Amino acid sequence: MKLYRFLTADDTSAFCHKVTAALNKGWALHGDPTYAFDAANGVMRCGQAVVKEADGTYTPDTKLGEH
């Protein structure tokens, strides 16, 4: 099955660590990163899509973070 996740976080090193952790678990970057101002919280937010091929059959109950 092909899995897709969209990782988001405030613009801090925590976001870079989140993406790095996904890459080290076999996920691959998909598309360009995003960067936007979150006016409600007054912070910049980052986003990055990642994809991964995994064994099994996808269902809505699939826990993406466990792959």
Side-chain angles (χ1 to χ4, degrees):
M1 74 180 140
K2 189 165 199 168
L3 302 175
Y4 170 91
R5 293 176 66 195
F6 188 69
L7 307 174
T8 62
D10 292 350
D11 182 21
T12 66
S13 63
F15 174 74
C16 294
H17 288 287
K18 184 185 281 191
V19 174
T20 299
L23 293 173
N24 281 281
K25 290 180 180 177
W27 292 83
L29 300 177
H30 182 76
D32 294 328
T34 61
Y35 193 61
F37 183 67
D38 178 350
N41 295 304
V43 297
M44 294 301 292
R45 302 267 304 162
C46 301
Q48 175 65 58
V50 293
V51 294
K52 181 178 184 180
E53 288 286 341
D55 292 334
T57 302
Y58 173 78
T59 71
D61 296 325
T62 300
K63 304 291 185 206
L64 299 175
E66 294 177 2
H67 286 277

